[in-house]
Amino acid sequence: MLKGLDNRLNAEVLFALRAMGHGDVLVVADTNFPSDQVARSTVLGELLRMDNLTAAEAAEAILSVMPLDTFVDDFAGRMEIVDNPDEIPPVQAEVQEVIDTAEGRERPMVSIERFDFYDLAREAYAVIQTGERRFYGCFMFRKGVIPPEE
């Protein structure tokens, strides 16, 4: 255990979050996403896990240490529901609430068509598979910066 760190963050996830740079993308995926196959194409090249956590719980832990990018509109994205891209299911509403809390204001995620999401995920820095079993519990977070102390 380490002081000040969310105990849901394991060593492998912390390593990846620390290694990522500004603009790098992290995928947080549900249990149905082809995480292992997609993760092999990422910069990290291996799958990370946050088992037994919902997507919102994993996002809350991740965003406790990782800043979101403030220079782009696609700082966070959600996988669109097929044939209903404007619907926001509960799993996505929960993650949106986590983002808004972490950011201290409303910052809506962009929506990403399902197959575009798969393609973008292969270009990400890393993929974390959660224990989320609800459909469309797949998200992308773009790492921001921490300003210098003045």
Side-chain angles (χ1 to χ4, degrees):
M1 296 295 295
L2 297 171
K3 287 175 63 174
L5 289 177
D6 190 308
N7 66 1
R8 297 173 290 190
L9 295 169
N10 60 52
E12 294 79 13
V13 169
L14 284 170
F15 171 83
L17 295 177
R18 175 64 177 93
M20 289 173 64
H22 181 213
D24 283 339
V25 173
L26 177 71
V27 174
V28 175
D30 63 30
T31 57
N32 291 297
F33 189 75
S35 296
D36 186 64
Q37 180 247 15
V38 170
R40 292 170 194 249
S41 299
T42 64
V43 173
L44 189 63
E46 63 185 61
L47 178 61
L48 302 173
R49 295 185 169 280
M50 293 180 79
D51 295 320
N52 301 317
L53 297 178
T54 65
E57 291 168 337
E60 182 179 45
I62 291 162
L63 297 180
S64 75
V65 296
M66 187 182 100
L68 290 172
D69 201 332
T70 57
F71 295 103
V72 295
D73 292 333
D74 66 346
F75 64 92
R78 63 177 183 83
M79 182 187 285
E80 289 179 357
I81 294 176
V82 174
D83 296 328
N84 197 355
D86 295 326
E87 181 181 346
I88 308 292
V91 64
Q92 293 182 358
E94 290 168 15
V95 170
Q96 183 65 65
E97 186 176 320
V98 168
I99 291 168
D100 293 346
T101 299
E103 295 291 286
R105 63 187 172 102
E106 289 185 14
R107 286 193 75 197
M109 289 182 275
V110 298
S111 65
I112 306 166
E113 188 275 331
R114 178 179 168 221
F115 292 107
D116 289 342
F117 190 100
Y118 292 142
D119 291 341
L120 291 168
R122 287 182 183 89
E123 298 173 10
Y125 187 88
V127 175
I128 298 174
Q129 186 171 41
T130 68
E132 181 61 68
R133 293 184 57 194
R134 293 174 289 179
F135 298 147
Y136 297 98
C138 298
F139 306 90
M140 292 186 180
F141 300 127
R142 187 174 301 278
K143 188 174 183 180
V145 298
I146 298 173
E149 294 180 15
E150 294 183 27

